[in-house]
Amino acid sequence: MKLPVVLPALFTLLLTSTVLAETRLQPSTEGHLIQGQAPVSTQISAMAFYSPAFTFNKKLDASVCKFAEDRMSPAGHDRTLVIKALRQQDGRYAVNVPTAGQRGACPYVLTSVYLDLNDSKVSQNLSLSTEKEIQQTRDALSDVAELDPVTPFEKIGTIYCEFESEFEIGLCQVAEGLPEMSYMISDTATSYTLDVKDESQRPPREF
């Protein structure tokens, strides 16, 4: 019995993968500044997601956003940046998230951010969506459901985490309780403050 000949096809695939160089996203200098105080042991980072600007503005030229390598990418034409916080010894931190970028001749815009807080017992992720991303979702679901308002990110102010939890995993809460599924951030560069404190410093809730 003869085995199927797959080597030429495999060679062609490998050759194609090698030839298609990645057109990298060049982030803009303008961006959101997320800063505050946090325990020195807490690792803070952000994963920022970007889409071509024509996704939100159909008047833009989509033809400049066609890249051969995107046909083989699971993410398509969307791109991601991982940004680590700048830390200081006194506990201050700062995360700079570009609000736009350029990939070849194709302009890109920020759509959402995952802000990660990690410590020995705490692993908390805050989902932040831009105004345009939220509006696009509303428009897409307008015939199906009416979405609740999304809380602006600046209203959190402080998040309290169980760094010394008696359990294996410590929870994080905001003043109103558990964090919401998503918070809204501006489409334009904005400064936000988020302090990370121990749960013992959380003021009693008012009912």
Side-chain angles (χ1 to χ4, degrees):
M1 180 178 68
K2 292 185 178 181
L3 294 176
V5 180
V6 296
L7 287 179
L10 179 60
F11 177 76
T12 302
L13 178 60
L14 292 174
L15 181 61
T16 304
S17 301
T18 304
V19 171
L20 296 179
E22 170 71 15
T23 306
R24 295 187 177 277
L25 176 67
Q26 302 298 324
S28 65
T29 55
E30 291 189 356
H32 295 307
L33 173 62
I34 304 173
Q35 60 185 339
Q37 291 279 148
V40 177
S41 59
T42 303
Q43 297 181 4
I44 302 174
S45 63
M47 182 175 289
F49 298 86
Y50 298 84
S51 293
F54 77 81
T55 307
F56 302 94
N57 185 351
K58 300 306 179 183
K59 294 181 180 180
L60 297 177
D61 184 7
S63 65
V64 299
C65 299
K66 292 182 179 179
F67 301 95
E69 66 267 26
D70 291 354
R71 295 198 302 268
M72 304 177 65
S73 171
H77 51 219
D78 293 339
R79 286 298 177 267
T80 305
L81 291 179
V82 176
I83 307 157
K84 290 187 177 181
L86 300 175
R87 297 303 309 263
Q88 297 188 22
Q89 292 183 348
D90 61 0
R92 284 184 292 175
Y93 76 91
V95 182
N96 292 282
V97 181
T99 49
Q102 193 76 18
R103 188 171 172 232
C106 180
Y108 272 65
V109 291
L110 176 70
T111 60
S112 59
V113 180
Y114 287 159
L115 185 65
D116 290 314
L117 311 174
N118 289 286
D119 213 309
S120 57
K121 288 192 173 183
V122 169
S123 181
Q124 178 65 51
N125 178 284
L126 295 176
S127 176
L128 316 176
S129 298
T130 57
E131 295 170 306
K132 57 181 173 291
E133 176 81 355
I134 294 171
Q135 187 58 51
Q136 188 180 68
T137 302
R138 288 187 186 282
D139 294 342
L141 299 177
S142 60
D143 295 336
V144 180
E146 183 175 344
L147 301 181
D148 293 333
V150 180
T151 302
F153 179 49
E154 60 265 25
K155 288 197 172 182
I156 299 182
T158 304
I159 187 168
Y160 304 90
C161 298
E162 298 173 338
F163 294 111
E164 302 297 332
S165 174
E166 59 182 302
F167 303 104
E168 186 175 346
I169 299 176
L171 297 177
C172 291
Q173 299 191 61
V174 296
E176 295 77 18
L178 293 175
E180 297 180 12
M181 291 184 62
S182 184
Y183 292 93
M184 182 174 65
I185 54 176
S186 175
D187 289 337
T188 57
T190 306
S191 180
Y192 298 98
T193 298
L194 179 70
D195 291 327
V196 184
K197 297 183 179 180
D198 188 82
E199 172 65 19
S200 62
Q201 298 177 272
R202 182 184 176 197
R205 293 181 62 183
E206 296 182 2
F207 297 94

